[in-house]
Amino acid sequence: IPRSEQLPGETHHPADRVRAMILDVRESASQVRIVLTRTHPDFIKRLFDAEVPEVSERIIEIRALAREPGYRTKVAVSSIDSKVDAVGACVGVRGSRIKNIVEEINGEKIDIVRWNESSQILIANALKPAEIKEVFLCFELGHAVVVVSDDQLSLAIGKRGQNVRLASRLTGWDIDILTPAEYDRSIDEMERKLRNVPG
């Protein structure tokens, strides 16, 4: 396991049990080198495969995944069976399934997000635990403006911008987060500029 494929702060010793995913197999003249990873996003998918039977049986599908190894992962899930709650099944009874996965990756936080075909709803889901007031989309630019109340701003952005950064990668939208006052100011500014355009 190269250092780049280990989680931050991890140390491994001879005879340790290490769970990892095969990233690459390199053959040279006299030996075969098997490269393992614990940081790749697909490693999280494989852990869900192992811990959540509905995922391995393809009843629940992992639709998108964004990861900052060692810190936080967001996973968007959906179910092909209306009787199976995708989020509940991945969390498990009293969090048992997700706890096993989190313990395997040294306490890295995992947010399980309910997938939705509506980009507005998906963005709001991806930014949880923050409560979202409104989501405005510009499809041409792939840009989303999300309005949150003042007391939800820091939660939506997250520590060092992590929550909004992972939500952007998960949803494929470039997300800006504004308070109502900031949003009103940006609308006023846009109106002022547009009024100067002839016709």
Side-chain angles (χ1 to χ4, degrees):
I1 309 181
R3 174 58 59 193
S4 60
E5 301 302 328
Q6 295 177 37
L7 297 175
E10 255 187 348
T11 50
H12 301 298
H13 304 286
D16 279 357
R17 176 191 161 277
V18 180
R19 212 169 182 188
M21 186 182 86
I22 296 174
L23 184 67
D24 194 13
V25 179
R26 298 171 190 163
E27 290 190 54
S28 63
S30 60
Q31 62 179 10
V32 176
R33 185 175 169 82
I34 300 171
V35 182
L36 304 178
T37 180
R38 284 171 55 77
T39 61
H40 197 283
D42 283 349
F43 180 53
I44 301 289
K45 289 182 181 179
R46 297 286 78 81
L47 290 174
F48 271 90
D49 260 351
E51 294 294 337
V52 183
E54 294 87 345
V55 173
S56 59
E57 290 161 12
R58 303 293 176 258
I59 296 165
I60 291 173
E61 187 182 351
I62 294 175
R63 303 293 294 267
L65 191 147
R67 186 181 188 198
E68 293 193 358
Y71 301 100
R72 195 170 189 174
T73 291
K74 284 185 184 282
V75 184
V77 294
S78 67
S79 172
I80 62 165
D81 184 342
S82 59
K83 295 197 257 332
V84 176
D85 172 34
V87 173
C90 289
V91 171
V93 180
R94 289 193 290 278
S96 56
R97 290 172 172 179
I98 198 68
K99 191 169 115 234
N100 289 342
I101 296 171
V102 168
E103 281 175 1
E104 181 59 56
I105 49 178
N106 298 349
E108 182 178 317
K109 284 193 177 74
I110 298 182
D111 300 337
I112 300 176
V113 173
R114 199 177 300 284
W115 175 265
N116 198 291
E117 294 298 338
S118 160
S119 293
Q120 283 177 307
I121 296 171
L122 180 61
I123 288 167
N125 289 349
L127 285 166
K128 284 181 179 173
E131 293 296 323
I132 307 305
K133 280 184 172 294
E134 287 190 87
V135 179
F136 302 96
L137 303 178
C138 174
F139 284 92
E140 292 81 4
L141 299 174
H143 189 86
V145 173
V146 176
V147 181
V148 300
S149 58
D150 293 57
D151 64 335
Q152 294 292 302
L153 184 64
S154 61
L155 193 58
I157 293 169
K159 196 174 176 183
R160 291 190 290 277
Q162 193 178 65
N163 196 50
V164 67
R165 195 164 56 245
L166 284 171
S168 286
R169 281 167 40 201
L170 188 78
T171 60
W173 286 83
D174 182 20
I175 301 173
D176 267 350
I177 297 183
L178 303 176
T179 62
E182 288 169 332
Y183 178 71
D184 290 343
R185 276 199 299 276
S186 70
I187 292 293
D188 291 344
E189 177 68 18
M190 193 189 299
E191 190 179 339
R192 266 198 306 278
K193 285 178 178 170
L194 287 173
R195 284 192 187 283
N196 293 328
V197 178

